[in-house]
Amino acid sequence: MRDGLQGGLRGGFPAAPGFDIVGAVFTAMRWMAVVYITGAMIGPGGGARAAAPIYRSAHFAVYRDRVVEGAYSARAGADGTLASDYPVAGRTGRTVWRAGVDVSRYPGLRSDYRLVDALYRLSLEEMVKDIRSDGTFMAGEKWDGVWARDISYSIVLALAAIEPEVARASLLRKVRDGRIVQDTGSGGSWPVSSDRMTWALAAWEVYEVTGARDWLKQSYDVIRASAEDDGHVVVSPETGLVWGETTFLDWREQTYPRWMQPVDIYGSQALGTNAVHYRTYRILAAMARLLGEPGQEWDERAEKIRAALNERFWIEERGFYGQYLYGGVYRALSGRPDALGEALAMLFDIAGPERQDRMLRSTPVMEYGIPCVYPQTPGIPPYHNRAVWPFVQAFWNLAAARRADGGALVQGLASIWRAAALFQTNKENFVASSGKPDGTEINSSRQLWSVAADLAMVYRVLFGMEFSEEGLKLRPVVPGELKGRWTLEGFHYRRAVLRIRVEGFGRTVKRMRMDGKRLEGAIPAGLEGEHEVVVEMAGDKLPNGGFRLAEDETAPETPVARREGGEIRWGAAAGAKGYVVYRDGKRAGAAAGLSAAAKPDGRFAEYQVSAEGVGGWESFLSEPVAVGGEQVVVEAETGAESSGEDLHGFSGAGFVEIGRRVNRTLSLRARVGHAGRYRIAVRYSNGSGPVNTDNKCAIRTLFIDGREAGPVVMPQRGMGEWSNWGMSSAVTVRLEAGEHSVDLKLEPYDENMNGEVNRAMVDYIRLVKLD
């Protein structure tokens, strides 16, 4: 064959003396094969330009038409298919995803990046599949219910833009009695879980997309009523900070120390949840002004949260905010970052520009994406711990785009695209250290907020969509790695249908034209009919803000501390190189061994211990150990006969049942010997539901001498476990020496998310003198 080929070639044109033309041809063919395999002859436009990856890490690379990770790859075909041989949930071999759902009513994407186009189409189809028969969004393939925070974050990211009516219907499914319904959660839901105000963020997004005045008024009334209830039950009057669980991180042992029960979580104050409430107050102020009402009160509440977060949560030496304040009477800051909270703090301008830039380069990001928390907690399997969630990555990417941090943005885009391409679906999460979807505690396909995450990268980053009262603003952020032409066909904006084209790359718009005429500012909200908008980018390179990847790291085990005589002692913690003692929530100093002196001087004090790891990260603080403090215990009257429960373990002659129909007010008298600050809590039981879910947390308001003192929260302690006694949340008040009336009342704002069962057994009320 070689001889025949050589003869044929030589018959066509002369060869230079001594030149082996057949050998040269075979060599050229081999090189062409190599070039093809490495990607130089793929994608629209072909050519050597396509060979360079969009992003490459140590273990994977993302190209225009494919993702390569070791021996595995995913490739987008010219026909819109997506083939992958990555092993997922026992799947082996090559499988091909093909378009199979009619998405013609949604905007179509065409670009020079076949992979992004295919993933966009995949996400549209998965969104359609996530619309239930009642016209509302489900949370994902394994989560067929309507979950408030899931739909809300999804609506904010992308879904309001293309399905505003389904978004609106979904939000209304989470309203009862004119108030937002908190999803089931730790200790019986609200107020232990207190991030229901994500609903407000989504409602505002729907309004800005549609401009519907009826929705503005309807949603304003719901948000305001919910915020007023929250003001009584979850807002600290001293600092304005909100109590309760970290938004989205609702599996307590995944991101809290093991000793923390739901009542302790209620008593914590989380970065992410406070960021949500901050933004809610800003939204309420804006809504009020649009409706002709005063909004100053809401702005003042927002500013109080912003100031407290910057004063109490910012860690200067780390360059980011701590995840939450936690402890007992005195709270310390957990020095770990919460990725979603950090992103929201940037997007809502809680952090100023300089801090935002520091956060983008200082918050730990791993090779496969930003983990929910860092470092990881030992002994806890991946879910929130040790995991990346694409929707959290999306909010992080939006923050990076806002600051035009090219390094952080490109890595974040690659994280989302890699996972969706290899898995051929928008998974709920994946393991942070390996990038694998298998191995987390639960993992759903076509998870709604992961779907929204992928769509948001197109709408909000590459096309830079921002919806406002004035209209639709386009502020694309296109890294040089993604330069070219991006076209969105058939985008419905109110009464207009738009064809939007973004050309070039950069962070600055050089020129924008609509129907051939220069366009300044936003696309008008009142625009009607079909129009073409062309955005030319200036070609300015996105700077790399110093972003770098962090290695996987696990914190030391949390010490278990106890009091022995005049000392605080603890056992050795795995992974510890030393220990730090805290008193009253503040660092008191390093410990030489496994003990430290507790200095009782008659005053109340709390001691905690952390273990220091070799990487410079501390463990969680140990459960507080109380020392000193005068105590007064007021026994509740016997009431066992009326409870219908066979209980034991109460301290005195009996206990009192409180509920919606029995003992709505429990009145007692307490005498204190000395004036001072007292911490008041209730010993109670609540067997209405499990410790980790449901919606029957018992709530009452404490009144001292007829004046409202604060909320008393009594979370569920186990289904049917009415003999499982524990202490409620506590209220700190200043009392004069003498006798005082102590009343527990069920007020209208104490209604929980169940609406029917708000029940507990009360053993006694304890007053502890703090100073």
Side-chain angles (χ1 to χ4, degrees), residues 370-373 376 382-389 429-432 440:
I370 187 164
C372 295
V373 292
Q376 310 309 315
Y383 187 62
H384 296 139
N385 189 53
R386 302 184 185 280
V388 175
W389 288 58
N429 49 54
F430 51 86
V431 179
T440 66

Coordinates of all heavy atoms in Angstrom, one line a residue, residues 370-373 376 382-389 429-432 440:
I370 N -16.1 25.8 45.4 CA -16.1 26.4 46.8 C -16.9 25.5 47.7 O -18.1 25.3 47.5 CB -16.6 27.8 46.8 CG1 -16.4 28.5 48.2 CG2 -18.1 28.0 46.4 CD1 -16.5 30.0 48.2
P371 N -16.3 25.0 48.8 CA -17.0 24.1 49.7 C -18.0 25.0 50.5 O -17.7 26.2 50.8 CB -16.0 23.5 50.5 CG -14.8 24.5 50.5 CD -14.9 25.1 49.1
C372 N -19.1 24.4 51.0 CA -20.0 25.1 51.8 C -19.4 25.7 53.0 O -19.7 26.9 53.4 CB -21.2 24.2 52.2 SG -22.2 23.6 50.8
V373 N -18.5 25.0 53.7 CA -17.8 25.4 54.8 C -16.4 24.9 54.7 O -16.1 24.0 54.0 CB -18.4 24.9 56.2 CG1 -19.8 25.6 56.4 CG2 -18.6 23.4 56.2
Q376 N -13.2 21.2 57.0 CA -14.2 20.2 57.2 C -14.2 19.7 58.6 O -13.3 19.7 59.4 CB -14.0 19.1 56.2 CG -13.8 19.6 54.8 CD -14.9 20.6 54.3 OE1 -16.1 20.4 54.5 NE2 -14.4 21.6 53.7
P382 N -20.0 13.6 53.7 CA -20.3 14.7 52.9 C -21.8 14.9 52.7 O -22.5 14.0 52.4 CB -19.6 14.3 51.5 CG -18.6 13.3 51.9 CD -19.1 12.6 53.1
Y383 N -22.2 16.1 52.8 CA -23.5 16.6 52.4 C -23.4 18.2 52.3 O -23.2 18.7 51.3 CB -24.6 16.2 53.3 CG -26.0 16.6 52.7 CD1 -26.4 16.1 51.5 CD2 -26.8 17.5 53.4 CE1 -27.6 16.5 51.0 CE2 -28.0 17.9 52.9 CZ -28.5 17.4 51.6 OH -29.7 17.7 51.1
H384 N -23.5 18.8 53.5 CA -23.1 20.2 53.5 C -21.6 20.3 53.9 O -20.8 21.0 53.3 CB -23.9 21.0 54.6 CG -25.3 21.1 54.3 ND1 -26.3 20.9 55.2 CD2 -26.0 21.3 53.1 CE1 -27.5 21.1 54.7 NE2 -27.3 21.3 53.4
N385 N -21.2 19.5 54.9 CA -19.8 19.3 55.2 C -19.1 18.5 54.0 O -19.7 17.7 53.4 CB -19.6 18.4 56.4 CG -18.2 18.3 57.0 OD1 -17.6 19.3 57.2 ND2 -17.8 17.1 57.2
R386 N -17.9 18.9 53.6 CA -17.1 18.2 52.6 C -17.8 18.2 51.2 O -17.6 17.3 50.4 CB -16.8 16.8 53.0 CG -16.1 16.6 54.3 CD -15.7 15.1 54.6 NE -15.1 15.0 55.9 CZ -13.8 15.2 56.2 NH1 -13.1 15.7 55.2 NH2 -13.4 15.1 57.4
A387 N -18.6 19.2 50.9 CA -19.3 19.2 49.6 C -19.4 20.6 49.0 O -19.3 21.6 49.6 CB -20.7 18.7 49.9
V388 N -19.5 20.5 47.7 CA -19.7 21.7 46.8 C -21.2 21.6 46.4 O -21.6 20.6 45.9 CB -18.8 21.8 45.6 CG1 -19.2 22.9 44.7 CG2 -17.3 21.9 46.1
W389 N -21.9 22.7 46.5 CA -23.3 22.8 45.9 C -23.3 23.8 44.8 O -22.9 25.0 45.0 CB -24.2 23.3 47.0 CG -24.5 22.2 48.1 CD1 -23.6 21.6 48.9 CD2 -25.8 21.7 48.4 NE1 -24.2 20.6 49.7 CE2 -25.6 20.7 49.4 CE3 -27.1 21.9 48.0 CZ2 -26.6 19.9 50.0 CZ3 -28.1 21.2 48.5 CH2 -27.9 20.2 49.5
N429 N -25.4 18.2 44.7 CA -24.1 18.5 45.3 C -23.1 17.5 44.8 O -23.4 16.5 44.0 CB -24.2 18.4 46.8 CG -24.9 17.1 47.3 OD1 -24.5 16.0 46.9 ND2 -26.0 17.3 48.1
F430 N -21.8 17.6 45.2 CA -20.8 16.6 45.0 C -19.7 16.8 46.0 O -19.6 17.8 46.7 CB -20.3 16.7 43.5 CG -19.8 18.0 43.1 CD1 -18.5 18.5 43.3 CD2 -20.7 18.9 42.4 CE1 -18.1 19.7 42.8 CE2 -20.3 20.1 41.9 CZ -19.0 20.5 42.1
V431 N -18.9 15.7 46.1 CA -17.8 15.7 47.2 C -16.8 16.7 46.8 O -16.2 16.8 45.7 CB -17.2 14.3 47.3 CG1 -16.1 14.3 48.3 CG2 -18.3 13.3 47.6
A432 N -16.4 17.6 47.8 CA -15.5 18.7 47.5 C -14.1 18.2 47.2 O -13.4 18.8 46.3 CB -15.4 19.6 48.8
T440 N -22.1 11.5 48.8 CA -22.8 12.4 49.7 C -24.0 11.7 50.3 O -24.5 10.7 49.7 CB -23.2 13.7 49.0 OG1 -24.2 13.4 48.0 CG2 -22.0 14.3 48.3

